[in-house]
C-alpha cells in the first residue's frame, strides 16, 4: 500500500495536507533493469516525498524548533526504505 498526499487550501496546502491511499497501480514502477528492486521515481518526486514526510514528523512534534535536520534525515531514510521495498 502506498500513501500519497493531497494538498488543498491556502498557503500551498501546508496546513491542510492529508494522506490519501492510492492503489499500487498508481505507485512508481520498479526498475527491473537495475536488479536492485528500487522503485524509479524522479529526483523531484523523491524530494517531494521526503518533504511531505518531514512535514508530518514536524507536525507530530508540534513544530517545535531544533529538530528539522533530524526530521529530514529520518524521513529520507524512511522514503528510501519504502522505495527499496517497491
Amino acid at each position: 500500500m502506498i500513501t500519497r498526499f493531497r494538498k488543498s487550501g491556502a498557503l500551498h496546502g501546508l496546513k491542510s495536507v492529508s494522506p490519501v491511499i492510492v492503489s499500487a497501480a498508481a505507485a512508481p514502477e520498479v526498475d527491473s533493469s537495475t536488479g536492485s528492486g528500487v522503485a524509479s521515481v524522479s529526483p523531484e518526486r523523491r524530494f517531494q516525498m521526503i518533504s511531505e514526510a518531514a512535514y508530518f514528523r514536524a507536525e507530530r512534534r508540534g513544530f517545535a524548533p531544533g529538530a528539522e535536520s533530524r526530521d529530514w534525515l529520518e524521513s529520507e531514510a524512511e522514503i528510501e526504505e519504502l522505495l527499496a521495498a517497491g
Side-chain angles (χ1 to χ4, degrees):
M1 177 181 345
I2 303 290
T3 303
R4 296 213 178 155
F5 303 95
R6 173 183 26 204
K7 295 181 182 179
S8 61
L11 298 174
H12 304 287
L14 292 179
K15 294 291 183 178
S16 60
V17 177
S18 60
V20 177
I21 310 256
V22 296
S23 70
E29 293 188 18
V30 173
D31 184 2
S32 59
S33 66
T34 63
S36 66
V38 175
S40 62
V41 296
S42 69
E44 294 82 11
R45 179 65 183 127
R46 180 182 171 274
F47 181 85
Q48 180 184 12
M49 293 168 74
I50 295 167
S51 297
E52 291 169 348
Y55 172 86
F56 284 112
R57 285 181 188 281
E59 182 180 49
R60 283 192 303 269
R61 60 179 180 73
F63 297 106
E68 297 85 358
S69 294
R70 188 181 73 220
D71 292 340
W72 185 269
L73 293 172
E74 290 175 357
S75 297
E76 187 173 33
E78 176 186 23
I79 296 303
E80 290 302 318
E81 184 179 324
L82 289 172
L83 292 174

